[in-house]
Amino acid sequence: MPIRVVMSTTHYEEIASPENEVVLRWRFEELMRAGFDAGSALILAGHAEVDLHAARRLVERGCAPDLALRIVL
């Protein structure tokens, strides 16, 4: 079951600021290395409230990335 996430314009503007672009890119790359597909990694990277390390730990312990996405969101 695919997860659909809708971003508000304000949320997008916040993550699109130059200061946050570096952090967003780093989070995305870390999630990709952990095993998330590009779409899931982008969704998780854009949610600063999501604990990146918790998401990675779930996958490292055998949780399927799509299930980890649902758990941490």
Side-chain angles (χ1 to χ4, degrees):
M1 169 195 234
I3 295 177
R4 184 173 171 203
V5 177
V6 178
M7 289 178 147
S8 70
T9 303
T10 304
H11 185 166
Y12 177 77
E13 288 170 357
E14 287 174 5
I15 65 170
S17 71
E19 305 84 43
N20 292 330
E21 185 176 336
V22 172
V23 173
L24 180 64
R25 186 180 313 263
W26 176 81
R27 287 174 58 88
F28 174 78
E29 290 169 358
E30 287 296 309
L31 290 159
M32 290 288 294
R33 275 193 281 279
F36 288 90
D37 64 75
S40 296
L42 186 59
I43 290 168
L44 288 174
H47 283 272
E49 74 278 6
V50 170
D51 184 341
L52 171 82
H53 302 295
R56 285 180 40 200
R57 278 193 302 271
L58 284 169
V59 173
E60 289 168 359
R61 293 180 178 166
C63 185
D66 60 328
L67 178 57
L69 174 71
R70 290 188 299 204
I71 290 170
V72 297
L73 284 180

